[in-house]
Amino acid sequence: MKTTKYYIAAITCFVIWGFFSLVLKPIHDYASLDILFYRVFSCSILMLMIAFTFKRKRIKEAIQNFKSLPAFEKRKTILLNIGGSVFLMANWFTFIYVMNHVSVKATSLAYLVCPILTTLLAYFILHEKLSKTQWIAVGLSISGCILLSYANIMDMFFSIIIGSTYASYLVSQRVNKGFDKFIILTFHITLAALFLLPFYPIYSGPVPTEFKFYFCIETIAILFTIFPLFLNLYALSGINSSTVGMLLNINPMIAFLLAMFLYKEQFGLIQIIAYGIVFLAVLVFNSHHIFAMKQKFIAISKDSKIT
């Protein structure tokens, strides 16, 4: 039960991201790079303002902690944070491009592939242990994705690209410890902004004038970037990256329902069965925690009746 708060953080994060298309679709006429530019710049400015207004003590502590690290740990920390920034930036661009120019289904599939990639990376790189039940869940996820790729091989191609970037981010940040999560996230996004800044004058389109564009960008920055990413990093501090990765399946489940009922994208029987299999995999993978919570609630109910 000690890990429940980390589960709640991860679930909340992925539920929020499941509704991402609601603010991204209205600005699909804008170039994917423009959306990326304004999203990253806006997030960076907001987070720097928050950090230097409310987190100055944490910033000083982070600097002192970094200075006290041995040379090897310093290099490791630098690589982890630069890598995290690059993985995030690549994930955001490919996600925006595929959602606005390929299909919502393809982005939904990406976050079905991502948990499998995350689990495998965590197993081979971080040596995270999985129970037999959890391996069964991974097998179910793989079978669901194979069914979906059978329906549309190009969707699978784009999905692997999106999924691999976020899986790499999750695994890299699992071992990125010892610093305030908000400061880490501010560093990742600000570094991405600095990397993109020289490309803005060359590759950006005309400066948007519609209120709708800026409203959607700020909503994306606050509600769909800063808040859920912070929850994501917090969850990684308490539960394995493979578990966080498997909970990520909540995101595409919601996106799948939106694609079917709101955007009227066509789904065949095979695709519906595949999503059902993946949803079952999430339940199986986390069955130990679900069972523990159930037992706890039963015990609490019995105690309340006795008293």
Side-chain angles (χ1 to χ4, degrees), residues 26-80:
I27 53 175
H28 72 277
D29 291 332
Y30 291 89
S32 300
L33 261 178
D34 280 342
I35 297 172
L36 179 67
F37 284 141
Y38 286 96
R39 179 189 186 182
V40 173
F41 295 155
S42 183
C43 286
S44 178
I45 292 168
L46 285 170
M47 296 193 74
L48 285 171
M49 288 173 61
I50 294 170
F52 284 106
T53 304
F54 302 105
K55 294 273 189 177
R56 280 178 290 186
K57 184 179 178 181
R58 294 289 187 180
I59 292 171
K60 290 178 181 178
E61 288 176 359
I63 293 171
Q64 289 173 354
N65 288 343
F66 179 77
K67 287 181 177 178
S68 66
L69 293 174
F72 171 77
E73 288 296 326
K74 283 182 180 178
R75 287 194 297 271
K76 179 182 174 183
T77 300
I78 291 169
L79 288 174
L80 283 173

Side-chain angles (χ1 to χ4, degrees), residues 101-112:
H101 301 286
V102 181
S103 71
V104 177
K105 285 188 295 184
T107 57
S108 175
L109 178 57
Y111 289 107
L112 292 176

Side-chain angles (χ1 to χ4, degrees), residues 239-255:
I239 53 179
N240 289 342
S241 51
S242 55
T243 302
V244 174
M246 191 57 69
L247 288 170
L248 180 59
N249 279 310
I250 295 168
N251 174 347
M253 292 299 159
I254 296 172

Side-chain angles (χ1 to χ4, degrees), residues 293-307:
M293 288 181 66
K294 183 180 178 181
Q295 293 296 105
K296 181 71 174 180
F297 289 136
I298 290 172
I300 291 171
S301 299
K302 287 180 178 179
D303 289 342
S304 62
K305 287 178 181 179
I306 291 171
T307 54

Side-chain angles (χ1 to χ4, degrees), residues 222-233:
I222 298 169
L223 185 60
F224 291 91
T225 304
I226 296 172
F227 182 56
L229 272 177
F230 176 76
L231 290 176
N232 199 177
L233 289 177

